[in-house]
Amino acid sequence: MDELRRKLNDTVEENTSIKADLDMYKNDLDEKVTQHKIAAKKSVQLIKELKSQLQKESEKCAMIEESKNTLEDQHKQEVHRLREKVSQNMAHNGDGISPKTVPTEDDGVKRALAKRLESLLNENQALKEKVSFLEQSIVSLNEDLIQLRAAKTKALSKTEEATDDEEEIFI
């Protein structure tokens, strides 16, 4: 009888120890699931922020592209006007009046137009560089977005696996 009581006590102690271990494992698992959910939510938020930033960058790029096109059009018009002025000056010089002998206002206009043309060309080059930089930024942001989507998908699949494993444990 004493032996049975001792075995019973041993079994009860073992059962209590196993229950304590099980509770500890359940708490640990709950903690890890919570941490995983928090990480998943953070990655979703990061993806949303990156999408928003990508949208803003795309809008900026479109505005710069539009500005570049406008400046190119202005540049073409300015070049056309300069060519017309040059052809008019050539026709005017063909009347027998030498520009070297008679100073005209056209000399000042030519200089002003040449300066304007130079400034427009410089501005156009700067805008081309900006557009190139923004296009590279957009490509980089797209790559980052693809990586984050892959990470999100992976994280979500791990969450589902953890949930499935948890269900198996409790069954």
Side-chain angles (χ1 to χ4, degrees):
M1 188 72 152
D2 286 337
E3 190 176 324
L4 287 175
R5 282 186 182 174
R6 187 173 39 83
K7 284 183 181 181
L8 179 64
N9 285 338
D10 289 344
T11 306
V12 167
E13 288 175 14
E14 204 176 303
N15 190 14
T16 304
S17 173
I18 291 173
K19 283 183 180 180
D21 287 345
L22 180 62
D23 288 340
M24 182 180 69
Y25 291 136
K26 282 182 182 179
N27 289 337
D28 188 40
L29 181 63
D30 288 342
E31 218 174 277
K32 288 183 179 184
V33 166
T34 303
Q35 289 173 352
H36 184 68
K37 286 179 181 178
I38 290 170
K41 286 180 181 179
K42 285 181 180 179
S43 65
V44 167
Q45 181 62 30
L46 181 61
I47 289 171
K48 286 180 182 178
E49 289 173 5
L50 286 174
K51 279 183 179 179
S52 173
Q53 187 177 5
L54 178 62
Q55 179 65 28
K56 289 176 184 176
E57 291 294 326
S58 296
E59 289 171 1
K60 283 181 185 178
C61 184
M63 287 174 33
I64 289 174
E65 185 70 29
E66 185 179 320
S67 176
K68 180 188 101 170
N69 291 337
T70 302
L71 286 174
E72 284 177 348
D73 290 343
Q74 289 175 351
H75 171 70
K76 287 177 184 177
Q77 291 172 355
E78 197 72 30
V79 168
H80 180 69
R81 277 190 250 135
L82 283 173
R83 286 186 179 154
E84 285 179 0
K85 289 278 186 181
V86 168
S87 64
Q88 287 174 0
N89 285 338
M90 295 292 228
H92 182 65
N93 290 340
D95 292 343
I97 301 173
S98 171
K100 292 179 182 176
T101 58
V102 179
T104 64
E105 291 182 19
D106 288 341
D107 291 338
V109 171
K110 286 179 186 177
R111 275 189 236 120
L113 287 174
K115 286 181 182 179
R116 176 71 176 142
L117 177 62
E118 184 179 354
S119 71
L120 287 174
L121 289 172
N122 290 338
E123 190 176 339
N124 189 21
Q125 182 62 33
L127 286 173
K128 284 181 181 179
E129 289 174 6
K130 285 181 184 179
V131 167
S132 174
F133 174 74
L134 289 174
E135 287 172 346
Q136 290 173 354
S137 296
I138 287 172
V139 168
S140 176
L141 288 172
N142 277 331
E143 290 172 357
D144 290 346
L145 184 60
I146 289 169
Q147 289 175 352
L148 286 173
R149 283 182 179 162
K152 176 187 171 193
T153 303
K154 187 175 182 180
L156 289 176
S157 67
K158 285 184 179 180
T159 303
E160 290 173 2
E161 288 175 10
T163 305
D164 292 344
D165 290 345
E166 183 181 308
E167 289 174 2
E168 289 176 11
I169 290 173
F170 291 119
I171 293 176

